[in-house]
Amino acid sequence: MPEYSYRAVSMTTGETEKGVYTAKSKIEAIEYLRHKRQIPILVEELKGSKEIPLPKIFVKVKTKDLAVLCRQFYAMLNAGISIVGCLDILTRQTENKILKSAMSDIYEEVQKGASLSETMKKRKDIFPELLINMIDAGEISGNLDTIMERMAVHFEKENKILNKIQGAMMYPIILSLLAIGVVIFLLIFIMPTFISLFEGSGAELPLPTRILLKLSDVIKNYWYILLMGIIGAVIGSKKALESDKGGLIIDNLKFRLPVVKNATKMVITSRFSRTLATLLSSGIPLIQALDVVSRVVGNRIVEKGIKTAIDEVRRGTSLAQPIKNMGVFPPMLDSMVAIGEESGSLDNILEKTANFYDDEVETSIAKLTAMMEPVMIVIMALVVGSMVVAMVLPMFSMMQTV
């Protein structure tokens, strides 16, 4: 949104004030000044302040952005600033373009009398359901500042786990791209030059060498078709993974692959414990809390298991038993849940359990990285080595002919 510089006279003190305000239009900026009991003298749009809206694919609301938002919201509420005042400040200082636009819309709706949670529900594409439910509970109980602090801590820990996972995946991704680059370079530039030395001898090239030569010709002459095919495959794979059936297959594989199943269990256990503890400590009933957790845990297998657990809890079963029956979580979790239910301090027990598994996540990801490094190196060596052998094979054929 554009920015407007203004000069106005305060109706309270009579002093002239200057500043910059972000608004959708000049009229909105003037209304903002009047709302603050200021008489606008001059309101001008700053040159170059118009922003080209970026697609969401380029500008996303990350967990880190939400953590910063909740932390700033808590600090201002704790300092005694009203919700409208907090939204006004956040609208002007938020850097993320999508989040800034959403906060601006929320600010306008709240000024008209809507509640914060109601306006956030209209932007579920930006704000997670967990945050919306927590804010709703905070508005009802009157402790929104405490809720914001808890959500800030929650998103900070979630961001820490995501950073660890991304860091673990960075090495194999870079190594894979490097291997692909080496293969393409050998096929396009080295292979034809090297093989041309043997074609004049009249000896028939070995089958592996002929296959690589054909692949080299295809890449050089039909690279645009290959590129379109790769893009189509990526888009198709993404669509398939986003579907219920495709996502269920991938989520099931995560619990079966020997390299990643332990790390997957630790991440999901940590997320389940921390999210449920956060909801319960804010006064949200167990059934409603489990329903929210099922949608934010990030695994369809676990989601189905939690839905089953909800039905059993409604029938009077303790939560520990259906968690154990799921066969997904470590045995320690259902034991801790049972202790929490018996002592009446399930939220505190789950919070301690989440802290424990946060450390386990770090250990599991470190082990995963350590196991993936040699595997990726061996795969890269086999691919590049096979190509080198295919280029050297004609030399042996010439020696046999001689």
Side-chain angles (χ1 to χ4, degrees), residues 250-296:
I250 295 300
D251 289 341
N252 191 33
L253 281 175
K254 290 178 182 179
F255 286 116
R256 296 182 180 275
L257 294 176
V259 182
V260 300
K261 66 178 182 181
N262 188 54
T264 301
K265 282 186 177 182
M266 294 301 105
V267 170
I268 290 176
T269 304
S270 172
R271 184 174 294 159
F272 172 86
S273 304
R274 184 175 56 255
T275 306
L276 187 56
T278 303
L279 290 164
L280 292 177
S281 62
S282 302
I284 295 177
L286 179 59
I287 298 295
Q288 184 181 348
L290 287 171
D291 186 53
V292 174
V293 171
S294 68
R295 292 193 289 271
V296 303

Side-chain angles (χ1 to χ4, degrees), residues 307-380:
K307 296 289 187 183
T308 303
I310 291 174
D311 295 335
E312 295 187 24
V313 170
R314 281 199 179 106
R315 291 194 292 266
T317 308
S318 67
L319 179 60
Q321 189 58 44
I323 286 180
K324 182 179 180 180
N325 296 338
M326 287 172 62
V328 172
F329 298 110
M332 175 182 167
L333 180 62
D334 58 85
S335 299
M336 296 295 283
V337 170
I339 294 172
E341 288 180 313
E342 291 175 2
S343 61
S345 58
L346 183 56
D347 53 345
N348 292 329
I349 293 293
L350 284 171
E351 186 175 357
K352 293 176 181 178
T353 305
N355 292 334
F356 170 79
Y357 281 109
D358 283 344
D359 297 332
E360 289 296 306
V361 166
E362 188 171 355
T363 303
S364 300
I365 292 177
K367 289 181 180 179
L368 176 62
T369 305
M371 294 177 65
M372 291 182 68
E373 287 180 4
V375 172
M376 293 300 299
I377 291 174
V378 169
I379 293 175
M380 184 175 179

